[in-house]
Amino acid sequence: MKKKIIPAVYHLAQNKKIGPLFHIVGMARKDISTKDFQEDVIEHLHERIPKLQKRNAQHVSKTFSYIQGDFSDAKSFVRLKSVLKNIDDTWGVCTNKLFYLAVPPDHFKDIFTNMARVRLNTPCGGDFGWTRVLIEKPFGRDLHTAKKLHTLLKKFFVDEQLYFIDHYLAKEIVQAITHFRFSNNIFETSWDKKSIERITVRLLETIGAEDRGSFYDAVGAFRDVGQNHMLQMLSAVTMKYPRDTSATQLRRKRAEIIDLLEPWTHKHIKEQTFRAQYKTYRNIKGVTKNSDTETYIKLQTQLTHPDWAGVPIVLEAGKRMKESIKEIEVLFRHPALCVACTPDNHIHNKVVFRMEPDDKITIHFWTKVPGFEKKLEERTFTFFLYERAQKVQYVEEYAKLLFSAIAGDQSMFVSEQEIEAEWKFTDPVISAWGKDIVPLASYTPNTEEATQSAAHIGAEIMPKIPPIPKEMAIIGLGKMGANMAKRMMNQGWRVVGHNRTAESTNELIQEGLVPAYSIKEVIEALPKKKIIWLMVPSGKPVDDILFGKDGLTHYLKRGDIVIDGGNSFYKDTIARAKKLQKYGIKFLDAGTSGGPEGARHGACLMIGGKKKDFQAVEILFRDFALPDGYQFFEGHGAGHFVKMVHNGIEYGMMQAIAEGFAVMKKAKFRLDLTRIADVYNHGSVIESRLVGWLKNAFQLYGENLDVISGAVQQLGEGSWTVKTAKAMKIKTKVIEEALQFRYNSEKHPDYTGKVVSALRGQFGGHPVFKKGKSKSLK
């Protein structure tokens, strides 16, 4: 009351947010007069408000009165109702009533029951007034007791009357996150796992639990701030776009994202949670002698939502830390292409939402250092929400909470669904800690001892593989191979490159490629442990490089690794693996999707072979792929099989798009096909990269696609899928007809074929122009 409510009321009065018909009745066991209570109000204001205006303090104190009462005594509530009725009669209105419970949860049942006996739980004016209840945390001790609380409340109140307080929702910085994201489009289009590498929520305090020992000892750091404040902060940065800023929408979106936190496992709790207690904690009055209550926590989790899956989320909170830091840090991924970066300097952008020691949003970015050298330096753009001198802890937050409750706005209050989702996440950890699965550590107050001990939580987990030199060879430097070489060099790899024609090799020397003009030179330029990636056409070219007169088998030794990253037929891959096994050469197949652009900026990889061989070079696949863009499938040929089916599906999808646009082109309406492709690619169920590429083709060549050939090439992948499906006695009608269309298009080219060709040119850089025509594909 003295820290939050009284100063908040003064703040509301100063800002003219309360009118003359406003009164506060205090009820507690203490036997004092209203005059004494009003003097206490003034005293508390002097303690909490700098530069207090005496006249205003006197005025505010007059809005308070007091009655003595016991929460378990029904007669006390009869007296309370009488006092409230006298106010109604004096003002000549049926007043709206806001009941604020600054009491331990143990008293709730008595209070609500006694309120209901004298009908204080219902408004006196029917539809023309309201009665609302503000309830402070803790909302139970676990999911079971939280549900019991909600069941109790529902006996006496409807949802619209209930206002559960988590004052962090009223903090300006937490509200600012919502508007920073959803009122601007600078970052929101990149606000997911594709661009964000890690999210960290920190609530570190230099103060301890000295002034509330018995309360804190009963809850601990996780229940005190982890189960509520930290999850609300996390929901602000991860919840999906609300339709509007109504309480219903915001509360629903917060609950949905909290409910999608990954379920805990015994192993995960043991490896990715940490708890500790500062060394003087047990000396605090009210703390039990052998207390195992944690005063510091650190946990790593993640969300199962498809936009966030795989992004580590670190929650860290503690008392008596070296410095006070309350913030959310959103760390962006290292750029796929970075001018002036070096392999050992993986720069990151980040956005930090901080509430202590200053309320501010800081954007960290990188720019070139002025001068002759290509060096980068980190700069920041900072937006301060407050001048620190204007802010007193809790006052503005509770003023906003009271004002919102009076206004009937529940958006800054926690819903029942949010509370239960929070406990669902918290309970398994607290239960496991209670069984000492994670031993309680200790730390010296006001040092970095706790954070250093917990440094392993949230640290990047590298694949558990033997370290290998980041050196490889790429054979085949066409569009795909050349772009792969550039990406891998950007990722810190030393790349030896060889191509059938020396011209393609020479073009990459200035990019950092180590040139090799024969297979023998490739082998000589690599370290003892050799990794060779083939990016050549399927069939005979692969066999020639592996087993030909000057093939790899003449030079490689046992344990060397060859990866076929081209589109080989999976049965050929199985046969090659058996043949290479006789030489002791390890063989992996990697279906590579994404076209030349994917090879440059991050591909999608489907990998087959033996798992131990994959694990030995997993870091190569991780560096080449998009985030979460690679998967291993056991068995030689499995990767190429998955990629083969992928290409068959691609045939069907491209054919459907082409046929649809051919129908629209011939329609009687004067349809703008470019705009149709554009609208299809903004939220429709057929939104895709293919539709986006078609729009690009229309913009480049016109909607008639005059320079594009209507005869569509096919390179075998679609026929492999059809052939394999027939052998398996599985119908693939769509893919088969798309393949047959391509065969027929050579003799009967048409507009549908033009669309398919245009798409192939856009994503794969394939030759698609009519004879005698030559235009840029990009």
Side-chain angles (χ1 to χ4, degrees):
M1 185 198 71
K2 67 180 181 180
K3 287 183 177 180
K4 302 171 182 179
I5 303 305
I6 293 173
V9 171
Y10 178 85
H11 188 74
L12 287 170
Q14 287 289 88
N15 286 274
K16 297 181 170 51
K17 294 298 182 184
I18 53 178
L21 301 187
F22 179 88
H23 193 79
I24 297 175
V25 178
M27 185 175 93
R29 286 174 300 197
K30 191 175 181 181
D31 187 10
I32 60 172
S33 67
T34 289
K35 182 180 178 182
D36 291 337
F37 186 50
Q38 291 174 348
E39 288 176 357
D40 286 345
V41 167
I42 294 173
E43 183 181 333
H44 296 324
L45 286 173
H46 276 290
E47 291 173 0
R48 301 291 297 172
I49 305 295
K51 299 179 181 179
L52 181 72
Q53 296 180 13
K54 188 174 181 180
R55 179 180 295 179
N56 290 347
Q58 289 284 351
H59 175 73
V60 167
S61 73
K62 298 299 181 185
T63 64
F64 286 80
S65 63
Y66 182 85
I67 67 167
Q68 191 274 334
D70 190 287
F71 304 143
S72 60
D73 178 20
K75 293 179 181 178
S76 296
F77 288 84
V78 173
R79 290 198 302 273
L80 176 60
K81 180 164 186 176
S82 176
V83 169
L84 297 178
K85 186 177 183 304
N86 287 338
I87 295 172
D88 287 6
D89 293 342
T90 301
W91 288 348
V93 295
C94 168
T95 56
N96 296 314
K97 296 175 180 67
L98 191 66
F99 291 90
Y100 179 95
L101 304 186
V103 300
D106 294 346
H107 295 295
F108 285 171
K109 186 175 182 180
D110 285 340
I111 292 172
F112 298 144
T113 302
N114 286 321
M115 284 178 65
R117 281 175 179 164
V118 293
R119 300 184 60 81
L120 283 176
N121 60 325
T122 58
C124 61
D127 294 336
F128 299 100
W130 49 254
T131 293
R132 295 170 186 154
V133 181
L134 271 71
I135 303 169
E136 286 274 7
K137 72 175 182 70
F139 311 120
R141 283 188 53 81
D142 50 30
L143 181 58
H144 174 69
T145 53
K147 287 183 173 180
K148 281 184 67 176
L149 171 63
H150 294 142
T151 301
L152 172 66
L153 288 166
K154 286 175 183 177
K155 287 175 62 178
F156 305 109
F157 305 98
V158 297
D159 288 342
E160 290 76 16
Q161 291 180 283
L162 299 173
Y163 289 71
F164 296 102
I165 296 175
D166 183 333
H167 71 271
Y168 267 64
L169 286 174
K171 286 185 177 291
E172 283 291 349
I173 197 70
V174 176
Q175 293 179 41
I177 294 170
T178 303
H179 293 286
F180 177 88
R181 290 182 57 196
F182 302 134
S183 300
N184 304 288
N185 63 2
I186 300 174
F187 291 102
E188 190 58 26
T189 54
S190 303
W191 207 263
D192 56 28
K193 68 181 181 182
K194 294 177 183 176
S195 300
I196 291 173
E197 181 173 302
R198 181 181 305 271
I199 298 170
T200 304
V201 182
R202 296 185 184 93
L203 289 182
L204 305 179
E205 300 177 287
T206 55
I207 62 171
E210 280 71 12
D211 62 342
R212 51 178 189 149
S214 58
F215 167 79
Y216 195 88
D217 203 42
V219 293
F222 201 14
R223 282 191 179 102
D224 188 40
V225 297
Q227 179 267 343
N228 37 71
H229 302 333
M230 300 187 86
L231 296 185
Q232 287 296 332
M233 292 165 71
L234 177 64
S235 72
V237 291
T238 57
M239 71 178 185
K240 302 317 295 176
Y241 215 105
R243 188 172 62 246
D244 51 52
T245 56
S246 66
T248 300
Q249 277 290 302
L250 289 172
R251 281 151 54 107
R252 179 185 299 157
K253 293 297 180 182
R254 294 197 304 252
E256 284 174 359
I257 203 71
I258 295 170
D259 197 49
L260 289 174
L261 282 161
E262 186 177 54
W264 291 102
T265 64
H266 179 95
K267 182 173 183 289
H268 192 184
I269 292 172
K270 190 171 184 178
E271 294 178 353
Q272 291 298 324
T273 73
F274 180 87
R275 61 183 182 131
Q277 181 189 97
Y278 64 84
K279 291 178 180 176
T280 58
Y281 172 75
R282 294 178 185 176
N283 299 330
I284 297 171
K285 182 180 178 181
V287 172
T288 56
K289 186 177 180 181
N290 298 314
S291 172
D292 63 352
T293 297
E294 77 284 353
T295 59
Y296 171 85
I297 59 168
K298 191 173 183 183
L299 311 91
Q300 179 178 311
T301 184
Q302 66 174 341
L303 289 159
T304 59
H305 191 287
D307 286 356
W308 292 109
V311 176
I313 295 167
V314 178
L315 308 176
E316 183 181 26
K319 289 191 171 294
R320 295 296 296 273
M321 308 306 293
K322 186 175 182 179
E323 58 180 328
S324 182
I325 302 174
K326 297 183 179 181
E327 66 181 16
I328 306 169
E329 179 185 276
V330 179
L331 186 71
F332 284 77
R333 296 187 184 278
H334 178 75
L337 292 175
C338 176
V339 178
C341 286
T342 58
D344 59 345
N345 181 26
H346 277 211
I347 68 169
H348 295 273
N349 298 117
K350 60 184 175 181
V351 178
V352 180
F353 304 93
R354 180 169 286 189
M355 57 191 73
E356 273 192 29
D358 300 298
D359 288 275
K360 62 186 180 182
I361 301 173
T362 302
I363 301 168
H364 295 248
F365 61 97
W366 294 80
T367 187
K368 181 183 174 296
V369 176
F372 296 100
E373 296 182 7
K374 292 182 178 179
K375 288 185 177 180
L376 296 177
E377 64 179 349
E378 188 175 20
R379 299 284 187 90
T380 59
F381 174 82
T382 300
F383 172 65
F384 287 89
L385 297 184
Y386 289 96
E387 291 295 332
R388 194 65 186 171
Q390 296 178 337
K391 190 175 177 187
V392 178
Q393 189 181 28
Y394 301 127
V395 174
E396 293 186 17
E397 291 95 323
Y398 271 81
K400 281 188 287 186
L401 289 169
L402 291 175
F403 185 75
S404 295
I406 293 168
D409 180 3
Q410 291 180 306
S411 60
M412 284 192 287
F413 296 87
V414 193
S415 66
E416 175 185 341
Q417 291 73 26
E418 290 170 86
I419 293 168
E420 294 188 1
E422 290 168 349
W423 281 121
K424 187 181 79 170
F425 172 76
T426 309
D427 280 356
V429 178
I430 293 175
S431 175
W433 286 355
K435 297 171 185 174
D436 211 31
I437 287 172
V438 178
L440 181 70
S442 65
Y443 62 98
T444 304
N446 304 106
T447 68
E448 293 181 344
E449 200 173 320
T451 54
Q452 289 171 351
S453 298
H456 63 287
I457 305 295
E460 183 177 6
I461 301 174
M462 299 296 288
K464 294 180 180 179
I465 56 174
I468 60 171
K470 293 181 84 169
E471 297 187 55
M472 67 180 297
I474 298 176
I475 297 177
L477 298 174
K479 293 184 183 72
M480 291 289 290
N483 276 355
M484 179 185 180
K486 292 175 185 176
R487 175 167 175 84
M488 297 308 286
M489 287 187 288
N490 281 137
Q491 298 284 62
W493 285 74
R494 177 179 176 267
V495 179
V496 178
H498 170 67
N499 197 66
R500 184 173 53 84
T501 58
E503 183 182 358
S504 297
T505 306
N506 293 336
E507 286 177 359
L508 291 168
I509 293 175
Q510 63 182 359
E511 303 271 358
L513 185 82
V514 178
Y517 299 100
S518 67
I519 298 294
K520 184 179 180 182
E521 285 187 36
V522 169
I523 302 304
E524 290 173 347
L526 288 173
K528 186 176 180 181
K529 178 78 172 179
K530 295 173 175 51
I531 305 170
I532 298 174
W533 184 289
L534 307 185
M535 195 68 94
V536 297
S538 63
K540 190 173 182 299
V542 179
D543 288 323
D544 287 346
I545 290 170
L546 290 174
F547 311 111
K549 185 178 179 181
D550 192 41
L552 288 169
T553 49
H554 294 283
Y555 302 101
L556 294 177
K557 295 190 169 103
R558 297 185 70 83
D560 290 337
I561 295 179
V562 176
I563 304 165
D564 182 3
N567 278 326
S568 291
F569 184 44
Y570 79 98
K571 287 189 176 180
D572 294 341
T573 299
I574 294 170
R576 289 168 186 145
K578 288 180 180 178
K579 202 169 179 180
L580 287 169
Q581 194 170 7
K582 296 176 182 178
Y583 295 89
I585 297 169
K586 298 175 180 180
F587 190 52
L588 294 166
D589 47 292
T592 307
S593 183
E597 285 299 301
R600 184 68 183 93
H601 303 294
C604 171
L605 304 174
M606 300 142 246
I607 306 146
K610 291 184 177 179
K611 190 168 186 177
K612 64 179 182 180
D613 297 339
F614 159 75
Q615 289 174 332
V617 291
E618 183 177 355
I619 192 169
L620 183 156
F621 298 114
R622 190 184 67 172
D623 284 354
F624 183 28
L626 285 168
D628 302 320
Y630 70 93
Q631 290 288 348
F632 172 76
F633 306 95
E634 185 74 45
H636 290 111
H640 280 154
F641 183 88
V642 174
K643 178 59 165 46
M644 174 191 74
V645 176
H646 161 284
N647 287 359
I649 294 169
E650 178 188 295
Y651 272 44
M653 291 174 68
M654 291 169 65
Q655 186 69 22
I657 291 170
E659 290 174 2
F661 275 83
V663 170
M664 288 188 287
K665 190 173 190 307
K666 201 167 183 180
K668 293 181 180 180
F669 302 104
R670 298 180 64 182
L671 298 174
D672 185 328
L673 300 186
T674 307
R675 288 172 53 227
I676 291 171
D678 182 66
V679 75
Y680 279 177
N681 230 30
H682 284 83
S684 83
V685 294
I686 62 167
E687 179 179 6
S688 64
R689 297 176 77 185
L690 286 170
V691 173
W693 280 320
L694 180 57
K695 177 190 171 186
N696 292 345
F698 285 149
Q699 291 175 326
L700 283 170
Y701 313 122
E703 293 179 2
N704 290 328
L705 300 174
D706 291 327
V707 299
I708 303 295
S709 173
V712 188
Q713 289 185 340
Q714 75 87 23
L715 301 177
E717 298 98 324
S719 63
W720 296 341
T721 308
V722 171
K723 176 182 174 182
T724 301
K726 283 184 177 179
M728 299 168 80
K729 296 183 179 180
I730 294 173
K731 292 181 180 180
T732 53
K733 185 177 180 181
V734 171
I735 299 172
E736 190 171 347
E737 290 185 357
L739 175 65
Q740 189 61 47
F741 172 85
R742 294 195 182 192
Y743 290 140
N744 296 341
S745 72
E746 293 182 13
K747 292 182 179 180
H748 306 287
D750 60 8
Y751 186 76
T752 300
K754 286 176 177 284
V755 174
V756 176
S757 289
L759 287 170
R760 295 182 74 249
Q762 283 293 297
F763 71 77
H766 301 292
V768 297
F769 298 108
K770 290 180 179 177
K771 290 182 179 179
K773 304 288 184 180
S774 179
K775 288 199 173 188
S776 170
L777 286 166
K778 299 294 179 186

